Amino acid sequence: MTHQVHAFEPPERFVAGTVGPPGERAFFLQARGGGRLVSVALEKVQVSLLAEKLEELLTEAQRRFGVDLPPELAPVIGDNEPLDTPVDEEFRVGTLGLAFDVDTATVVIEAIAAGEVEPEVELDDDEDEDDDEDEEPDEDLDRLRVRLTPQATRQFIERARRVVNAGRPPCPLCGQPLDPAGHLCPRHNGYHR
């Protein structure tokens, strides 16, 4: 099976964004560079965790390797533009990988497609034959690889957080998202709020 690696080292633009109204938003990572545009779909929680883990990665890189990191962006206005069109989903992200390259002082983000192959159940006791095939299960999956500077990573983190927080406001009692028509709040024993 052939797979594609969409590598942007570095991209002209790498952002998290959405398509659709709050409550029905589809989340994407989008990379642009060298005349190419790649959009991959993922879940809201994946965007939120990616921003959180990138922040941890930058902090750890500074602590362990003494990397000079830019301060967190407070007053700086980042990229608030919508996603570039057309937003054609290349694949749905199943796994996100992060690394810090000490030699180039860059952050590497890799989004790997969700596996489409169902796990096989084998009843044979002889496992030695299949060891070569099972070493790297993600090997035949499409992936998006992006290499960012620490400054570009901070900008990505800030935008990702804005995108995640731009959805429906949470219910003050239960924390679930409020629809424009309200919702059935479990804290009110199912009464419409």
Side-chain angles (χ1 to χ4, degrees), residues 67-94:
V67 176
D68 235 4
L69 296 178
E72 288 195 35
L73 303 175
V76 178
I77 297 175
D79 183 351
N80 287 323
E81 296 300 313
L83 293 174
D84 293 332
T85 55
V87 181
D88 294 328
E89 178 182 323
E90 292 291 328
F91 59 84
R92 179 156 288 281
V93 175

Side-chain angles (χ1 to χ4, degrees), residues 120-189:
E120 294 180 20
V121 177
E122 293 188 23
L123 300 176
D124 295 339
D125 290 337
D126 184 19
E127 297 178 11
D128 294 337
E129 296 174 10
D130 296 326
D131 285 347
D132 296 336
E133 295 174 17
D134 295 336
E135 284 181 17
E136 188 63 44
D138 295 338
E139 195 171 278
D140 291 332
L141 300 174
D142 290 349
R143 56 190 69 217
L144 168 65
R145 184 178 304 131
V146 179
R147 187 176 296 267
L148 300 173
T149 64
Q151 179 67 32
T153 303
R154 285 254 194 249
Q155 291 173 348
F156 175 84
I157 292 168
E158 292 302 317
R159 177 178 168 122
R161 288 179 175 156
R162 284 192 313 268
V163 165
V164 167
N165 293 330
R168 298 174 289 173
C171 172
L173 297 175
C174 69
Q176 293 179 359
L178 288 173
D179 290 323
H183 80 115
L184 295 176
C185 184
R187 299 290 297 264
H188 276 142
N189 293 327

Side-chain angles (χ1 to χ4, degrees), residues 2-79:
T2 61
H3 68 281
Q4 289 186 322
V5 176
H6 305 281
F8 294 85
E9 301 182 2
E12 293 170 11
R13 181 180 191 223
F14 179 64
V15 294
T18 62
V19 174
E24 299 172 18
R25 298 186 300 169
F27 287 78
F28 292 92
L29 293 179
Q30 190 175 72
R32 178 183 69 207
R36 298 179 302 148
L37 180 65
V38 176
S39 302
V40 296
L42 70 169
E43 299 297 324
K44 178 180 181 178
V45 69
Q46 288 175 304
V47 175
S48 179
L49 283 172
L50 179 59
E52 179 184 323
K53 295 303 179 186
L54 282 170
E55 188 69 48
E56 290 175 14
L57 180 69
L58 288 177
T59 303
E60 186 67 15
Q62 185 176 28
R63 186 185 71 74
R64 288 183 62 195
F65 307 117
V67 176
D68 235 4
L69 296 178
E72 288 195 35
L73 303 175
V76 178
I77 297 175
D79 183 351

